[in-house]
Amino acid sequence: MSAVLKIANESEEIISYNPATGAEIGRVAETSAEETKAAVERSREAFKAWRKTSFAERKRFVMKAREIILAEMDEIALLISNESGKPVAEALSMEIAPVLDLMQYFARNAEKLLKPRKINIGLYAALGRSSKIIYQPLGVVGIIPAWNYPFSIPLGEAVMSLMAGNTVVLKPSELTPFIGLKIGEIFEKAGLPENVVQIVSGAGQTGAALVESAPDKIMFTGSVATGKKIAESAAKNLTSIVLELGGKDPMIVFADANLEIAADAAVWGAFCNAGQSCSSVERLYVEESAVENLTNLIVEKTRKLKLGKGNDAATDIGAMSSERQLKIVADHVESFEKEGAKILTGGKHHDLFFEPTVISGANNSMRAMQEETFGPTLPIATFRTEEEAVKLANDSEFGLTASVWTKDLSKGKRIAERIEAGTVCVNEVLYTHGIGQTPWGGFKNSGRGRTHGLEGLMELVQPQHIHVNRVAILPNAWWLPYGATAIETFKGFARYFASGSLFQTSKLVPQLLKRIKELRKK
Ligand code: NAD
């Protein structure tokens, strides 16, 4: 058995439930701390051979894994839906399709993206030197994802890690352990060499054990609180980390926007995945003159949405993934009401199904406009000026994504650049995690580092600088021993060579020759 790690200690089990029905899906034994450490050690061994594979070989495995996903698409979509609660439609549109695209993109392009790069070293080149950067893999990448996109996020990160030449130990969320095991099974079926991808199962303590096992990188997706714990623990081994954390993403709608489209976007952006997206629209700011029209459109569209089980094709909004999350949403809705906002539609729940909830009269002083809700709520606030819109949007500890809606694209782009967020869309919302070619990550407490895109791939390699002296026949002027000639020469370096100008540097030549002659004599 290569990709899937079967677990030793049978007494500690995670029970996976279907949040829509409460039915048990199955049980997975927890991987102990010792087993997790052993998995990292095996991964380090496997890395020795994997790092030597060509991009073409890696591509073959990843493309094979894609074929397996395509062949098992219905089964995988249903598993994602059953374990996370989301509609099958979203398992397909927001997880399977985007990650298949990411897989083909990095399989086909990693070699080009990681091509060795020559560096322009200016006047040093005139001295016969050359420099290039090559990108070396890191070693073992530990992946610790959240439960909200349990297939696409860890699988995408695993594929990028593999294409960069690393091996992977993945610990899925305890709420979605079978999806994690499915990822292991896919790689196993694709014929990936033993221990190149391993899955360890468990909750926070297994995640903590993975971090303590000192992999070479941790790719973490989850809450700010856990992110801080991981940063602290990783620091003990100087393990570098990428943190993809929470969001409180603003959507700014100007009166000149296409309000019909903006309303559709707000409804999807706030309620898809039952609002459990890190880049969900959590705050809607509307120019005062348009608020009535936009709100009416949003309420009308929201009332038509169907709550239901994920495996029903008619379902728009599925069950929330956990009771813990549902309680936060209920608390936020209650606190909005207490602080004077008005629930226009929704606000109630039965079991883990929370009605999509539209709230008017919100403002930034309300607690639930500051804390991440991570559920199907859409609070609406207003602004009067461009300046005020930017100020309200930036008034948050988070900065993951944001969107600006206006027909005036230059205004849209101008405002976008003033928003403190890792991604800002103009007349678009939420979906760019699905474009694997683009970087993903947050400003402020929304995270550190990037996944996806060239920037994300660079997180998974270490640049190595190769410097060559093609004319190693004379000692360098800056070598030992020193003396009066050396000091005069170094002043010349400061005055002329360091100017970057070849003309200025030519003034240094007589002094340089004198110094070299002196060095050769010694
Ligand atoms: P969480 O922090 O509770 O758990 C995330 C993962 O960390 C899980 O696998 C968990 O088992 C593990 N974990 C918990 N304690 C740990 C520890 N001490 N050491 C190591 N691992 C530990 O988060 P969650 O509830 O699963 O996810 C929801 C959060 O994720 C939200 O805040 C959401 O915004 C965020 N998120 C961010 C992104 C992004 O790209 N920025 C994407 C998805 C979700």
Side-chain angles (χ1 to χ4, degrees):
M1 164 123 312
S2 66
V4 183
L5 187 71
K6 286 282 185 209
I7 295 104
N9 186 352
E10 296 291 336
S11 64
E12 306 284 341
E13 288 180 322
I14 315 166
I15 308 176
S16 172
Y17 295 101
N18 179 332
T21 62
E24 183 179 320
I25 292 175
R27 292 168 184 237
V28 179
E30 256 188 3
T31 310
S32 67
E34 298 73 49
E35 254 306 296
T36 303
K37 193 161 182 272
V40 171
E41 278 159 18
R42 283 195 297 274
S43 194
R44 213 175 277 297
E45 263 315 293
F47 171 66
K48 289 179 188 161
W50 182 254
R51 67 173 305 162
K52 293 188 193 140
T53 53
S54 65
F55 283 104
E57 276 172 87
R58 296 173 199 166
K59 175 180 166 187
R60 261 198 309 279
F61 287 118
V62 171
M63 295 307 272
K64 182 75 195 150
R66 269 188 100 254
E67 277 171 31
I68 291 158
I69 297 169
L70 279 169
E72 299 182 12
M73 184 152 65
D74 290 339
E75 183 205 316
I76 296 171
L78 190 60
L79 173 64
I80 296 172
S81 169
N82 283 345
E83 216 172 31
S84 70
K86 71 181 70 185
V88 163
E90 285 177 355
L92 290 165
S93 68
M94 301 184 77
E95 297 225 54
I96 295 177
V99 81
L100 286 173
D101 188 31
L102 177 149
M103 289 170 86
Q104 66 77 21
Y105 174 70
F106 283 101
R108 295 191 172 120
N109 293 288
E111 183 169 14
K112 198 165 67 195
L113 294 170
L114 296 175
K115 212 169 82 184
R117 184 169 62 84
K118 265 190 91 164
I119 305 176
N120 179 353
I121 51 172
L123 291 176
Y124 290 95
L127 301 176
R129 278 35 168 207
S130 68
S131 276
K132 70 170 182 179
I133 295 287
I134 61 171
Y135 297 100
Q136 299 278 14
L138 295 171
V140 181
V141 177
I143 301 178
I144 305 178
W147 42 264
N148 62 336
Y149 289 94
F151 189 67
S152 58
I153 291 181
L155 177 55
E157 290 174 355
V159 164
M160 290 178 67
S161 302
L162 294 176
M163 286 309 302
N166 303 292
T167 52
V168 169
V169 179
L170 159 63
K171 189 214 77 72
S173 165
E174 59 274 30
L175 292 180
T176 52
F178 283 99
I179 298 167
L181 290 174
K182 186 74 198 172
I183 292 172
E185 188 191 308
I186 289 164
F187 282 121
E188 193 184 7
K189 286 185 181 166
L192 206 67
E194 199 167 33
N195 298 325
V196 169
V197 171
Q198 296 173 86
I199 314 297
V200 293
S201 300
Q205 57 194 25
T206 312
L210 177 53
V211 180
E212 282 156 21
S213 303
D216 300 284
K217 187 92 185 189
I218 289 286
M219 302 293 291
F220 171 74
T221 308
S223 61
V224 173
T226 310
K228 285 182 181 174
K229 282 189 205 158
I230 288 182
E232 205 179 322
S233 170
K236 291 183 190 133
N237 295 306
L238 296 180
T239 304
S240 89
I241 50 178
V242 166
L243 301 174
E244 297 291 349
L245 309 176
K248 190 76 191 169
D249 296 358
M251 173 171 176
I252 301 171
V253 182
F254 285 92
D256 72 344
N258 180 331
L259 295 187
E260 185 75 39
I261 291 292
D264 283 331
V267 168
W268 181 72
F271 303 139
C272 68
N273 211 28
Q276 302 165 115
S277 299
C278 46
S279 50
S280 286
V281 174
E282 293 230 354
R283 297 177 288 149
L284 176 57
Y285 299 105
V286 190
E287 193 166 356
E288 212 169 58
S289 58
V291 74
E292 200 181 322
N293 280 349
L294 187 69
T295 305
N296 288 340
L297 284 167
I298 287 173
V299 170
E300 188 190 317
K301 289 169 194 290
T302 302
R303 287 195 174 132
K304 289 185 187 149
L305 298 176
K306 286 202 184 76
L307 266 163
K309 289 182 192 150
N311 61 1
D312 179 347
T315 293
D316 297 309
I317 315 281
M320 296 199 63
S321 291
S322 72
E323 202 176 332
R324 185 186 73 173
Q325 202 52 51
L326 183 115
K327 279 186 179 153
I328 298 172
V329 181
D331 168 57
H332 279 192
V333 170
E334 198 186 314
S335 94
F336 267 125
E337 269 192 305
K338 272 194 193 143
E339 292 182 66
K342 199 169 160 212
I343 313 298
L344 299 179
T345 183
K348 292 189 278 302
H349 66 94
H350 61 91
D351 300 325
L352 289 183
F353 294 92
F354 206 107
E355 293 172 356
T357 303
V358 182
I359 299 156
S360 69
N363 66 61
N364 278 16
S365 69
M366 295 175 175
R367 176 170 62 87
M369 285 292 270
Q370 296 297 333
E371 294 172 7
E372 185 181 40
T373 307
F374 218 54
T377 59
L378 181 55
I380 305 173
T382 57
F383 66 88
R384 287 211 177 105
T385 63
E386 202 175 302
E387 210 50 42
E388 193 190 3
V390 170
K391 195 166 156 238
L392 291 171
N394 286 340
D395 172 25
S396 171
E397 65 167 301
F398 296 108
L400 188 57
T401 80
S403 67
V404 183
W405 294 76
T406 169
K407 284 194 184 123
D408 178 348
L409 292 187
S410 56
K411 174 164 105 180
K413 288 187 260 184
R414 182 176 71 232
I415 292 169
E417 289 180 18
R418 296 181 61 200
I419 306 287
E420 295 158 358
T423 297
V424 187
C425 296
V426 178
N427 298 330
E428 255 310 342
V429 75
L430 186 137
Y431 88 118
T432 65
H433 190 274
I435 315 176
Q437 293 88 336
T438 62
W440 182 262
F443 285 13
K444 304 195 271 190
N445 276 355
S446 286
R448 295 289 180 274
R450 294 292 178 268
T451 56
H452 293 185
L454 176 62
E455 291 79 359
L457 195 60
M458 287 298 158
E459 299 277 4
L460 297 162
V461 289
Q462 42 195 341
Q464 184 178 42
H465 173 203
I466 306 288
H467 185 73
V468 175
N469 178 3
R470 283 193 304 275
V471 286
I473 43 173
L474 294 170
N476 284 331
W478 53 85
W479 286 357
L480 290 165
Y482 305 138
T485 310
I487 296 215
E488 214 33 54
T489 310
F490 300 161
K491 281 184 185 168
F493 270 126
R495 262 188 217 111
Y496 307 121
F497 185 81
S499 72
S501 150
L502 189 61
F503 173 70
Q504 289 291 329
T505 302
S506 65
K507 296 181 189 165
L508 182 63
V509 171
Q511 181 64 31
L512 201 57
L513 291 175
K514 197 169 155 193
R515 168 72 175 145
I516 301 265
K517 216 163 136 191
E518 178 189 77
L519 278 171
R520 290 194 72 184
K521 267 195 212 144
K522 287 185 175 156

